[in-house]
Amino acid sequence: GDARDQAALERALPGAAAVVSALSTGTFGPTTQLSKATATLISALEAGGPRRLLVILSVNLLQPSVDEQFANIHAEHQRVVELLEASSLSWTAICPPWITNEPATGSYTQTLGALPATIAPISKHDLALATLNCIEDPACERQLVAITG
């Protein structure tokens, strides 16, 4: 379905304890698709869905500057963070570096609100584990959380 369809989202939410959004910008060019979808999701959640929202963004949000090729993605991710901050939800922005198809290791590094000392790739499996663990971790609430391998 269309992540910008609030009625469809509201129909999908009953019974959910939390929502994880792993949407992409889909382009390196200028876009607002992700922030529009996130705004719709926030509206659906605030209208009666679960209060817990985790979004997968990028570790670049924690860097003071980014390469020009990532500037549009960075700006769109920043718009998403602004929407989250303005919401009444218990949100977490999960900020991994590059995500690999490697097997799970069962370990990862979590850094709250700051760029980690070491940025290492993380497998999609370990990122999923970290995301699930953040759902119930109060320290992750209303935070940007860097997750690295």
Side-chain angles (χ1 to χ4, degrees), residues 9-20:
L9 291 172
E10 288 175 2
R11 287 190 302 275
L13 293 173
V19 172
V20 175

Side-chain angles (χ1 to χ4, degrees), residues 48-72:
R51 306 300 297 162
R52 191 75 175 101
L53 173 61
L54 295 92
V55 296
I56 310 296
L57 296 174
S58 169
V59 75
N60 286 336
L61 281 168
L62 298 164
Q63 297 186 35
S65 64
V66 297
D67 291 342
E68 188 167 327
Q69 67 178 340
F70 300 115
N72 292 314

Side-chain angles (χ1 to χ4, degrees), residues 71-92:
N72 292 314
I73 295 170
H74 182 76
E76 179 64 342
H77 285 188
Q78 189 59 49
R79 284 188 286 276
V80 169
V81 171
E82 290 167 5
L83 290 166
L84 293 170
E85 290 174 338
S87 80
S88 64
L89 300 174
S90 171
W91 58 268
T92 302

Side-chain angles (χ1 to χ4, degrees), residues 123-136:
S123 77
K124 61 186 177 186
H125 309 285
D126 292 329
L127 178 58
L129 174 65
T131 301
L132 291 174
N133 288 339
C134 271
I135 289 174
E136 295 194 14

